[in-house]
Protein backbone atom coordinates (compact mmCIF):
# COMPACT_ATOMS: atom_id res chain seq x y z
CA UNK A 1 0.00 0.00 0.00
CA UNK A 2 2.79 2.54 0.74
CA UNK A 3 2.15 5.02 -2.03
CA UNK A 4 4.07 8.12 -2.94
CA UNK A 5 1.71 10.24 -4.98
CA UNK A 6 4.47 11.88 -6.95
CA UNK A 7 5.10 9.76 -9.98
CA UNK A 8 8.47 8.26 -10.80
CA UNK A 9 7.76 8.95 -14.46
CA UNK A 10 9.65 12.14 -15.20
CA UNK A 11 7.82 14.70 -17.29
CA UNK A 12 9.25 13.83 -20.64
CA UNK A 13 6.91 16.05 -22.62
CA UNK A 14 7.67 19.52 -21.26
CA UNK A 15 8.89 22.25 -23.63
CA UNK A 16 9.91 25.76 -22.63
CA UNK A 17 10.60 28.81 -24.77
CA UNK A 18 12.49 31.62 -23.00
CA UNK A 19 12.88 35.02 -24.68
CA UNK A 20 15.76 37.13 -23.40
CA UNK A 21 19.46 37.75 -23.91
CA UNK A 22 20.55 34.16 -24.54
CA UNK A 23 19.63 31.25 -26.77
CA UNK A 24 20.58 29.66 -30.07
CA UNK A 25 17.85 31.46 -31.99
CA UNK A 26 17.91 35.18 -32.78
CA UNK A 27 14.49 36.81 -32.72
CA UNK A 28 13.94 38.48 -36.09
CA UNK A 29 10.55 39.94 -35.26
CA UNK A 30 7.54 39.60 -33.00
CA UNK A 31 4.21 40.45 -34.59
CA UNK A 32 0.73 40.47 -33.07
CA UNK A 33 -1.82 38.67 -35.26
CA UNK A 34 -4.78 38.76 -32.86
CA UNK A 35 -5.00 40.26 -29.40
CA UNK A 36 -2.07 41.40 -27.31
CA UNK A 37 1.48 40.86 -28.60
CA UNK A 38 4.53 39.65 -26.70
CA UNK A 39 7.51 41.84 -25.92
CA UNK A 40 10.36 41.61 -28.30
CA UNK A 41 13.74 40.31 -27.13
CA UNK A 42 17.13 39.56 -28.58
CA UNK A 43 17.15 35.78 -28.49
CA UNK A 44 15.04 32.70 -27.81
CA UNK A 45 16.27 29.78 -25.71
CA UNK A 46 14.35 26.66 -26.68
CA UNK A 47 14.25 23.82 -24.15
CA UNK A 48 13.07 20.49 -25.46
CA UNK A 49 12.19 17.57 -23.17
CA UNK A 50 15.31 16.11 -21.62
CA UNK A 51 17.24 19.37 -21.86
CA UNK A 52 18.80 20.54 -18.61
CA UNK A 53 16.97 23.74 -17.70
CA UNK A 54 19.19 26.66 -16.70
CA UNK A 55 18.88 27.43 -13.00
CA UNK A 56 21.09 30.50 -12.81
CA UNK A 57 20.03 32.27 -15.97
CA UNK A 58 18.71 35.79 -15.87
CA UNK A 59 14.93 36.02 -15.71
CA UNK A 60 13.70 35.84 -19.29
CA UNK A 61 11.58 38.64 -20.70
CA UNK A 62 8.89 36.03 -21.23
CA UNK A 63 8.71 32.30 -20.95
CA UNK A 64 6.11 30.01 -22.50
CA UNK A 65 5.66 26.38 -21.50
CA UNK A 66 3.70 23.52 -23.01
CA UNK A 67 3.56 19.74 -23.16
CA UNK A 68 3.49 17.55 -26.20
CA UNK A 69 0.51 15.24 -25.91
CA UNK A 70 -1.67 12.71 -27.72
CA UNK A 71 -3.32 13.49 -31.07
CA UNK A 72 -6.37 15.68 -30.62
CA UNK A 73 -7.92 15.47 -34.10
CA UNK A 74 -5.72 13.39 -36.38
CA UNK A 75 -7.12 10.09 -37.64
CA UNK A 76 -4.99 7.00 -38.18
CA UNK A 77 -4.95 7.47 -41.96
CA UNK A 78 -3.83 11.06 -41.56
CA UNK A 79 -1.19 10.11 -39.01
CA UNK A 80 0.18 7.39 -41.28
CA UNK A 81 0.47 9.94 -44.09
CA UNK A 82 2.09 12.49 -41.76
CA UNK A 83 4.59 9.99 -40.35
CA UNK A 84 5.67 9.03 -43.86
CA UNK A 85 6.61 12.61 -44.65
CA UNK A 86 7.33 14.64 -41.57
CA UNK A 87 10.95 15.62 -41.02
CA UNK A 88 12.75 15.78 -37.66
CA UNK A 89 13.52 19.02 -35.86
CA UNK A 90 17.12 20.15 -35.79
CA UNK A 91 18.02 19.77 -39.46
CA UNK A 92 21.22 21.71 -40.25
CA UNK A 93 19.53 23.31 -43.26
CA UNK A 94 16.57 24.56 -41.21
CA UNK A 95 17.95 27.91 -40.08
CA UNK A 96 14.55 29.64 -40.03
CA UNK A 97 11.98 29.07 -37.30
CA UNK A 98 8.64 30.39 -36.12
CA UNK A 99 7.05 30.18 -32.70
CA UNK A 100 3.30 30.82 -32.96
CA UNK A 101 1.41 30.87 -29.65
CA UNK A 102 -2.36 30.75 -30.04
CA UNK A 103 -5.37 31.04 -27.77
CA UNK A 104 -8.87 30.06 -28.86
CA UNK A 105 -12.01 31.61 -27.46
CA UNK A 106 -14.61 30.14 -25.11
CA UNK A 107 -16.94 29.32 -28.01
CA UNK A 108 -14.32 26.94 -29.42
CA UNK A 109 -13.82 25.13 -26.14
CA UNK A 110 -17.56 24.78 -25.65
CA UNK A 111 -17.84 22.80 -28.90
CA UNK A 112 -17.93 19.03 -28.76
CA UNK A 113 -15.23 16.84 -30.29
CA UNK A 114 -17.16 16.13 -33.51
CA UNK A 115 -17.89 19.85 -33.99
CA UNK A 116 -14.25 20.86 -33.44
CA UNK A 117 -13.01 18.15 -35.80
CA UNK A 118 -15.51 19.22 -38.50
CA UNK A 119 -14.33 22.83 -38.33
CA UNK A 120 -10.63 22.03 -38.05
CA UNK A 121 -10.33 19.52 -40.85
CA UNK A 122 -13.49 18.89 -42.86
CA UNK A 123 -14.09 22.62 -43.35
CA UNK A 124 -10.74 24.33 -42.66
CA UNK A 125 -8.38 21.58 -43.92
CA UNK A 126 -5.83 22.33 -41.21
CA UNK A 127 -4.14 18.93 -41.26
CA UNK A 128 -4.09 18.86 -45.07
CA UNK A 129 -2.54 22.33 -45.15
CA UNK A 130 0.25 21.23 -42.82
CA UNK A 131 0.79 18.15 -44.93
CA UNK A 132 1.15 20.25 -48.09
CA UNK A 133 4.41 21.76 -46.80
CA UNK A 134 6.01 18.44 -45.87
CA UNK A 135 8.82 17.55 -45.75
CA UNK A 136 9.95 21.18 -46.02
CA UNK A 137 8.52 22.41 -42.71
CA UNK A 138 9.15 20.54 -39.46
CA UNK A 139 6.55 21.14 -36.73
CA UNK A 140 6.11 20.53 -33.02
CA UNK A 141 2.81 21.31 -31.28
CA UNK A 142 2.65 21.65 -27.50
CA UNK A 143 -0.38 22.24 -25.31
CA UNK A 144 -0.72 24.78 -22.48
CA UNK A 145 -4.44 24.89 -21.82
CA UNK A 146 -4.50 22.10 -19.25
CA UNK A 147 -1.36 23.03 -17.35
CA UNK A 148 -2.12 23.52 -13.66
CA UNK A 149 -1.63 27.28 -13.65
CA UNK A 150 -3.27 29.90 -15.88
CA UNK A 151 -1.53 30.32 -19.21
CA UNK A 152 -1.69 33.15 -21.74
CA UNK A 153 -2.10 30.74 -24.67
CA UNK A 154 -3.76 27.38 -25.34
CA UNK A 155 -0.99 25.95 -27.51
CA UNK A 156 2.34 26.82 -29.04
CA UNK A 157 3.52 25.62 -32.42
CA UNK A 158 7.20 25.55 -33.31
CA UNK A 159 8.22 25.35 -36.97
CA UNK A 160 11.66 24.92 -38.57
CA UNK A 161 12.47 25.33 -42.26
CA UNK A 162 15.23 26.30 -44.65
CA UNK A 163 15.30 29.83 -46.15
CA UNK A 164 14.32 28.47 -49.58
CA UNK A 165 11.03 27.25 -48.09
CA UNK A 166 10.10 30.57 -46.48
CA UNK A 167 7.54 31.31 -49.20
CA UNK A 168 5.82 27.96 -48.68
CA UNK A 169 5.69 28.65 -44.95
CA UNK A 170 4.18 32.12 -45.49
CA UNK A 171 1.56 30.57 -47.73
CA UNK A 172 0.74 28.01 -45.02
CA UNK A 173 0.16 30.57 -42.28
CA UNK A 174 -1.84 32.82 -44.63
CA UNK A 175 -4.03 29.87 -45.66
CA UNK A 176 -4.72 28.86 -42.08
CA UNK A 177 -5.49 32.39 -40.95
CA UNK A 178 -8.19 32.64 -43.62
CA UNK A 179 -10.05 29.53 -42.40
CA UNK A 180 -13.26 29.14 -40.41
CA UNK A 181 -11.16 27.61 -37.61
CA UNK A 182 -9.26 30.88 -37.21
CA UNK A 183 -12.44 32.77 -36.38
CA UNK A 184 -12.10 31.12 -32.97
CA UNK A 185 -8.55 32.44 -32.42
CA UNK A 186 -8.67 35.34 -29.99
CA UNK A 187 -4.93 35.74 -29.40
CA UNK A 188 -2.07 34.93 -31.73
CA UNK A 189 1.50 36.15 -31.88
CA UNK A 190 3.98 35.35 -34.64
CA UNK A 191 7.62 35.14 -33.53
CA UNK A 192 10.16 34.64 -36.31
CA UNK A 193 13.69 33.44 -35.69
CA UNK A 194 17.03 32.72 -37.31
CA UNK A 195 19.54 30.24 -35.96
CA UNK A 196 22.88 31.69 -35.03
CA UNK A 197 25.36 30.60 -32.43
CA UNK A 198 26.78 33.25 -30.18
CA UNK B 1 3.24 45.85 -26.77
CA UNK B 2 3.87 45.74 -22.98
CA UNK B 3 2.95 42.14 -22.28
CA UNK B 4 2.83 40.31 -19.01
CA UNK B 5 2.98 36.62 -19.90
CA UNK B 6 0.99 35.54 -16.89
CA UNK B 7 -2.65 35.59 -17.78
CA UNK B 8 -5.20 37.63 -15.94
CA UNK B 9 -7.66 34.77 -16.37
CA UNK B 10 -7.56 32.93 -13.05
CA UNK B 11 -7.44 29.16 -13.31
CA UNK B 12 -11.09 28.46 -12.91
CA UNK B 13 -10.88 24.80 -13.73
CA UNK B 14 -8.55 23.47 -11.02
CA UNK B 15 -9.76 20.74 -8.65
CA UNK B 16 -7.81 19.30 -5.73
CA UNK B 17 -8.51 16.26 -3.59
CA UNK B 18 -6.54 16.12 -0.30
CA UNK B 19 -6.59 12.96 1.83
CA UNK B 20 -5.74 13.45 5.51
CA UNK B 21 -7.28 14.35 8.83
CA UNK B 22 -9.75 16.98 7.62
CA UNK B 23 -12.49 17.33 5.05
CA UNK B 24 -16.24 16.98 4.66
CA UNK B 25 -15.99 13.45 3.30
CA UNK B 26 -15.05 10.42 5.43
CA UNK B 27 -13.01 7.84 3.55
CA UNK B 28 -14.84 4.52 3.79
CA UNK B 29 -12.27 2.48 1.91
CA UNK B 30 -9.41 2.73 -0.56
CA UNK B 31 -9.10 -0.24 -2.92
CA UNK B 32 -6.54 -0.89 -5.64
CA UNK B 33 -8.14 -1.99 -8.91
CA UNK B 34 -5.03 -1.98 -11.11
CA UNK B 35 -1.45 -1.18 -10.16
CA UNK B 36 -0.37 0.51 -6.98
CA UNK B 37 -2.98 1.70 -4.49
CA UNK B 38 -3.09 4.96 -2.52
CA UNK B 39 -2.65 5.17 1.23
CA UNK B 40 -5.78 5.19 3.26
CA UNK B 41 -6.64 8.25 5.37
CA UNK B 42 -9.43 9.43 7.60
CA UNK B 43 -11.01 12.12 5.46
CA UNK B 44 -10.98 13.72 2.03
CA UNK B 45 -10.98 17.49 1.53
CA UNK B 46 -12.41 18.30 -1.89
CA UNK B 47 -11.52 21.67 -3.41
CA UNK B 48 -13.60 22.75 -6.37
CA UNK B 49 -12.67 25.72 -8.58
CA UNK B 50 -13.20 28.96 -6.71
CA UNK B 51 -12.70 27.39 -3.30
CA UNK B 52 -10.11 29.09 -1.13
CA UNK B 53 -7.30 26.58 -0.74
CA UNK B 54 -6.07 26.08 2.82
CA UNK B 55 -2.60 27.52 3.31
CA UNK B 56 -1.94 26.44 6.88
CA UNK B 57 -3.36 22.93 6.76
CA UNK B 58 -1.25 19.96 7.73
CA UNK B 59 0.41 18.25 4.77
CA UNK B 60 -2.14 15.80 3.38
CA UNK B 61 -1.29 12.12 3.11
CA UNK B 62 -1.83 12.48 -0.59
CA UNK B 63 -3.15 15.16 -2.87
CA UNK B 64 -4.43 14.76 -6.40
CA UNK B 65 -5.00 17.66 -8.76
CA UNK B 66 -6.74 17.95 -12.11
CA UNK B 67 -8.45 20.43 -14.39
CA UNK B 68 -11.88 20.21 -15.93
CA UNK B 69 -11.52 20.69 -19.66
CA UNK B 70 -13.25 20.47 -23.03
CA UNK B 71 -15.04 17.32 -24.17
CA UNK B 72 -12.57 14.72 -25.40
CA UNK B 73 -14.93 12.21 -27.04
CA UNK B 74 -18.53 13.32 -26.59
CA UNK B 75 -20.47 14.30 -29.71
CA UNK B 76 -23.05 17.07 -29.78
CA UNK B 77 -25.95 14.60 -29.76
CA UNK B 78 -24.49 12.81 -26.76
CA UNK B 79 -23.81 16.07 -24.96
CA UNK B 80 -27.36 17.27 -25.55
CA UNK B 81 -28.68 14.01 -24.07
CA UNK B 82 -26.27 14.28 -21.12
CA UNK B 83 -27.14 17.90 -20.40
CA UNK B 84 -30.83 17.04 -20.31
CA UNK B 85 -30.30 14.49 -17.58
CA UNK B 86 -27.16 15.15 -15.59
CA UNK B 87 -27.65 16.37 -12.04
CA UNK B 88 -25.51 18.94 -10.24
CA UNK B 89 -22.91 18.06 -7.63
CA UNK B 90 -23.74 18.83 -4.02
CA UNK B 91 -27.26 17.44 -3.77
CA UNK B 92 -28.26 17.01 -0.13
CA UNK B 93 -29.39 13.44 -0.82
CA UNK B 94 -26.06 12.45 -2.36
CA UNK B 95 -24.20 11.36 0.75
CA UNK B 96 -22.13 8.70 -1.03
CA UNK B 97 -19.18 9.55 -3.24
CA UNK B 98 -16.39 7.84 -5.13
CA UNK B 99 -13.07 9.24 -6.31
CA UNK B 100 -11.59 7.02 -9.02
CA UNK B 101 -8.16 8.06 -10.29
CA UNK B 102 -7.10 6.27 -13.48
CA UNK B 103 -3.98 6.04 -15.60
CA UNK B 104 -3.98 4.60 -19.10
CA UNK B 105 -0.97 2.95 -20.68
CA UNK B 106 1.29 4.18 -23.47
CA UNK B 107 -0.56 2.08 -26.05
CA UNK B 108 -3.73 4.09 -25.39
CA UNK B 109 -2.03 7.44 -25.76
CA UNK B 110 -0.35 6.33 -29.00
CA UNK B 111 -3.76 5.74 -30.59
CA UNK B 112 -5.25 8.43 -32.79
CA UNK B 113 -8.47 10.25 -31.96
CA UNK B 114 -10.68 8.06 -34.18
CA UNK B 115 -9.19 4.88 -32.70
CA UNK B 116 -9.68 6.05 -29.09
CA UNK B 117 -13.25 7.16 -29.79
CA UNK B 118 -14.06 3.79 -31.44
CA UNK B 119 -12.79 1.87 -28.42
CA UNK B 120 -14.30 4.20 -25.82
CA UNK B 121 -17.81 4.50 -27.21
CA UNK B 122 -18.53 2.42 -30.31
CA UNK B 123 -17.08 -0.73 -28.72
CA UNK B 124 -17.05 -0.07 -24.94
CA UNK B 125 -20.16 2.14 -24.67
CA UNK B 126 -18.57 4.27 -21.97
CA UNK B 127 -20.72 7.36 -22.52
CA UNK B 128 -23.90 5.27 -22.81
CA UNK B 129 -23.05 3.45 -19.55
CA UNK B 130 -22.66 6.75 -17.72
CA UNK B 131 -25.94 7.95 -19.20
CA UNK B 132 -27.75 4.84 -17.93
CA UNK B 133 -27.26 5.95 -14.31
CA UNK B 134 -28.55 9.49 -14.85
CA UNK B 135 -29.88 11.39 -13.05
CA UNK B 136 -28.95 9.19 -10.06
CA UNK B 137 -25.18 9.59 -10.30
CA UNK B 138 -23.55 13.03 -10.60
CA UNK B 139 -20.10 13.04 -12.16
CA UNK B 140 -17.14 15.39 -12.59
CA UNK B 141 -14.14 14.41 -14.72
CA UNK B 142 -10.84 16.24 -14.37
CA UNK B 143 -7.65 15.77 -16.35
CA UNK B 144 -4.11 15.46 -14.97
CA UNK B 145 -2.11 14.13 -17.91
CA UNK B 146 -1.18 17.52 -19.35
CA UNK B 147 -0.41 19.32 -16.11
CA UNK B 148 3.11 20.73 -16.17
CA UNK B 149 4.56 18.33 -13.61
CA UNK B 150 4.50 14.52 -13.65
CA UNK B 151 1.29 13.09 -12.23
CA UNK B 152 0.49 9.60 -10.96
CA UNK B 153 -2.81 9.44 -12.87
CA UNK B 154 -4.17 10.70 -16.20
CA UNK B 155 -7.61 11.66 -14.90
CA UNK B 156 -9.75 11.64 -11.80
CA UNK B 157 -13.48 11.05 -11.76
CA UNK B 158 -15.62 12.19 -8.87
CA UNK B 159 -19.10 10.69 -8.42
CA UNK B 160 -21.89 11.59 -5.97
CA UNK B 161 -25.04 9.53 -5.35
CA UNK B 162 -27.62 8.69 -2.72
CA UNK B 163 -27.34 5.41 -0.77
CA UNK B 164 -30.35 3.97 -2.60
CA UNK B 165 -28.42 4.24 -5.86
CA UNK B 166 -25.34 2.44 -4.62
CA UNK B 167 -26.25 -0.74 -6.49
CA UNK B 168 -26.65 1.15 -9.76
CA UNK B 169 -23.25 2.74 -9.21
CA UNK B 170 -21.61 -0.64 -8.50
CA UNK B 171 -23.12 -1.97 -11.71
CA UNK B 172 -21.71 1.01 -13.63
CA UNK B 173 -18.13 0.52 -12.44
CA UNK B 174 -18.33 -3.25 -12.97
CA UNK B 175 -19.63 -2.74 -16.51
CA UNK B 176 -16.88 -0.28 -17.39
CA UNK B 177 -14.13 -2.46 -15.92
CA UNK B 178 -15.19 -5.32 -18.19
CA UNK B 179 -14.83 -3.26 -21.39
CA UNK B 180 -12.17 -3.24 -24.09
CA UNK B 181 -11.34 0.32 -23.04
CA UNK B 182 -10.31 -0.89 -19.60
CA UNK B 183 -7.58 -3.14 -21.05
CA UNK B 184 -5.65 0.12 -21.46
CA UNK B 185 -5.98 1.06 -17.78
CA UNK B 186 -2.70 0.37 -16.03
CA UNK B 187 -3.45 2.05 -12.70
CA UNK B 188 -6.79 2.52 -10.99
CA UNK B 189 -7.72 3.13 -7.37
CA UNK B 190 -11.26 3.17 -6.01
CA UNK B 191 -11.80 5.55 -3.07
CA UNK B 192 -15.25 5.43 -1.49
CA UNK B 193 -16.61 8.16 0.76
CA UNK B 194 -19.51 9.18 2.96
CA UNK B 195 -20.44 12.76 3.70
CA UNK B 196 -20.34 13.73 7.35
CA UNK B 197 -19.69 17.05 8.94
CA UNK B 198 -17.19 17.12 11.75
Amino acid sequence: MGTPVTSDRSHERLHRFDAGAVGAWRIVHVAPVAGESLQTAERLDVHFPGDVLPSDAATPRWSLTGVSSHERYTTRDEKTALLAQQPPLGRASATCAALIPIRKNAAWWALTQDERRAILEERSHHIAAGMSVLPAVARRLVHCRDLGSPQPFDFLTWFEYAPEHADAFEQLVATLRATEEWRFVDREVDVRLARESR
Side-chain angles (χ1 to χ4, degrees), chain A:
Chain A
M1 289 277 282
T3 308
V5 160
T6 48
S7 172
D8 54 0
R9 301 185 299 176
S10 64
H11 205 314
E12 294 171 342
R13 298 184 280 116
L14 199 72
H15 294 62
R16 203 175 82 196
F17 300 87
D18 294 342
V22 300
W25 293 90
R26 179 173 61 82
I27 295 178
V28 177
H29 73 247
V30 175
V33 178
E36 195 179 15
S37 192
L38 291 165
Q39 285 187 291
T40 194
E42 198 183 338
R43 307 189 76 85
L44 189 72
D45 206 5
V46 181
H47 305 290
F48 288 108
D51 289 356
V52 175
L53 295 175
S55 57
D56 58 348
T59 305
R61 189 153 296 174
W62 48 262
S63 179
L64 296 172
T65 297
V67 292
S68 52
S69 190
H70 57 285
E71 311 288 341
R72 300 296 206 258
Y73 301 105
T74 315
T75 64
R76 175 56 57 186
D77 288 350
E78 288 160 353
K79 186 164 184 179
T80 300
L82 286 165
L83 287 175
Q85 286 199 276
Q86 64 194 8
L89 297 176
R91 291 170 296 174
S93 61
T95 57
C96 299
L99 173 66
I100 306 188
I102 282 179
R103 187 176 69 196
K104 284 180 173 166
N105 64 19
W108 174 261
W109 296 113
L111 296 174
T112 53
Q113 175 66 29
D114 54 329
E115 291 169 330
R116 281 181 276 104
R117 161 75 198 189
I119 293 169
L120 184 134
E121 188 57 21
E122 274 66 56
R123 306 214 292 270
S124 299
H125 311 293
H126 187 144
I127 296 165
M131 200 128 35
S132 74
V133 295
L134 296 181
V137 178
R139 172 182 172 277
R140 173 72 52 88
L141 172 66
V142 298
H143 299 266
C144 328
R145 179 171 152 81
D146 288 345
L147 294 177
S149 56
Q151 300 293 318
F153 297 98
D154 292 330
F155 23 73
L156 319 173
T157 313
W158 173 254
F159 302 92
E160 294 177 3
Y161 51 96
E164 63 264 35
H165 296 123
D167 288 349
F169 183 72
E170 297 309 329
Q171 182 60 52
L172 171 67
V173 294
T175 297
L176 288 172
R177 286 174 186 152
T179 61
E180 177 182 354
E181 182 193 351
W182 245 251
R183 294 185 213 159
F184 295 90
V185 171
D186 73 1
R187 188 175 180 194
E188 177 178 7
V189 182
D190 192 329
V191 182
R192 296 304 177 89
L193 310 107
R195 193 171 55 210
E196 295 167 16
S197 304
R198 305 204 88 175

